[in-house]
Amino acid sequence: MLTLASKLKRDDGLKGSRTAATASDSTRRVSVRDKLLVKEVAELEANLPCTCKVHFPDPNKLHCFQLTVTPVYTLDDV
């Protein structure tokens, strides 16, 4: 997380003056948060068992999601 934030600070420093970097500070924080959330969602989906699926109806509201759990039937259960 700190590495990504420092890289974004360096990129802003190359693009503009110190005033421009200060003005875009909140944008940079949102960007870091968004990138980390995307990474966490991908990790969540990768670690779910094959019987579970996650659906995000609104991709802008990652706190609202549907988890579908499908039971596994074997020949012994029938």
Side-chain angles (χ1 to χ4, degrees):
M1 183 170 145
L2 296 175
T3 304
L4 182 57
S6 62
K7 181 181 182 326
L8 290 172
K9 283 181 185 177
R10 275 192 309 234
D11 290 347
D12 273 347
L14 295 174
K15 290 180 184 175
S17 67
R18 180 162 175 79
T19 307
T22 305
S24 67
D25 188 42
S26 63
T27 306
R28 179 171 46 255
R29 286 185 186 161
V30 170
S31 178
V32 170
R33 185 192 70 214
D34 288 346
K35 288 180 182 181
L36 290 173
L37 282 174
V38 168
K39 193 176 190 180
E40 289 293 323
V41 168
E43 185 178 329
L44 168 74
E45 291 175 337
N47 290 327
L48 283 176
C50 61
T51 58
C52 298
K53 294 190 192 254
V54 179
H55 174 67
F56 295 93
D58 185 356
N60 295 319
K61 296 180 182 177
L62 293 178
H63 64 280
C64 295
F65 61 90
Q66 297 171 347
L67 176 65
T68 305
V69 180
T70 308
V72 176
Y73 294 107
T74 62
L75 294 176
D76 297 333
D77 294 335
V78 183

